[in-house]
Amino acid sequence: MAGELISREALDRIVQRAAELQTGEREIGDGLTEPELLALGQDVGIPARYLKQALLEERTRLLDEHQGWSLAGPAQLAAQRVVPGDRAAVEGALSHWMENQELLRVKRRYPDRTTWEPQVGFFVSMQRGLKAGGKGYTLTRPVEISGQVTPLESGFCHVRLAADVRNLRAARIGAAAGLVSAGAVGTAVAIVIGVLLPLAALPAVLFAVGAMPVLTAHRGQNEKVQVALEQVLDRLERGEIRPEHALPGPRASAFVRIADEIRKQFQR
């Protein structure tokens, strides 16, 4: 009926099928280049912004799939969002936030992305230890954070943040391997001194079982890092991180900030 409400599920199927029918009228062959895809989108009435965003998300999905699966967790975590602003403004605001609020420093600047690594030094370690400002500085735990800002249409950019957590995964694997090795040594010693085999194998079995929780402890660690990435994107999306934040006037030294945090600790 003309006035009947179409459900969301049905609408998705209808729109998808209509797009298939319209694109089916064109000869695509083995695939399309990005300009050809944008031209096709223009023909079927899809704004370039949405096509570019979908294309970026597809490339990200393929990249994440290539990371593979491991019992110890993935090597990389990522988050992405469309945020308002032009590329230069978003990149400037993001870089300033990472360096001043997350205690990171620029590692490399590539044409398409920037990477950061944890700041080092006594005062920085003090800030992290005291959790200055109530922050956990979770993004200093991965070995590297990368940020990629891609312009879509005027006034909007696609931002992808990624955390290289190979160091956290390697630590879990090392701890688990240490437990397994200790169990194997215990079993070997038991065999040498003449303990019956079923009992001699007990240390290896018990330590191997104990290593499993250590190896799979990535869920809690990764969740904290993932939330921290999303929080940065939340602030970018809501405009809480802006280029003018880079010009706030004189900034207190690290020594003064740490002294303030110590004073707050004693006042609690």
Side-chain angles (χ1 to χ4, degrees), residues 9 15 30 56 58 77 104 118 129 132 143-144 150 157 161 192 226 232 235 252-253:
E9 292 78 10
V15 171
D30 294 333
L56 287 168
E58 175 64 15
L77 304 174
L104 302 174
V143 66
E144 180 182 278
T150 306
C157 289
L161 299 178
V192 169
Q226 186 71 46
V232 174
R235 294 185 173 96
S253 67

Side-chain angles (χ1 to χ4, degrees), residues 32-125:
L32 295 175
T33 63
E34 183 174 341
E36 290 172 340
L37 175 63
L38 296 176
L40 176 61
Q42 186 176 8
D43 290 345
V44 300
I46 302 176
R49 168 191 167 186
Y50 299 118
L51 273 176
K52 288 181 179 179
Q53 180 180 344
L55 183 61
L56 287 168
E57 290 176 356
E58 175 64 15
R59 287 172 175 169
T60 300
R61 183 186 66 81
L62 293 175
L63 180 64
D64 292 340
E65 286 181 354
H66 290 161
Q67 295 291 329
W69 180 89
S70 168
L71 187 63
Q76 186 182 91
L77 304 174
Q80 57 187 342
R81 193 85 54 84
V82 174
V83 303
D86 59 66
R87 180 178 180 178
V90 173
E91 285 181 335
L94 181 61
S95 184
H96 183 265
W97 179 269
M98 290 298 191
E99 294 171 38
N100 290 275
Q101 300 298 326
E102 302 294 346
L103 297 185
L104 302 174
R105 65 182 181 185
V106 173
K107 182 178 181 180
R108 295 286 304 276
R109 292 192 188 276
Y110 300 93
D112 62 334
R113 72 188 188 281
T114 300
T115 60
W116 297 273
E117 62 183 358
Q119 294 180 22
V120 296
F122 173 75
F123 289 119
V124 173
S125 299

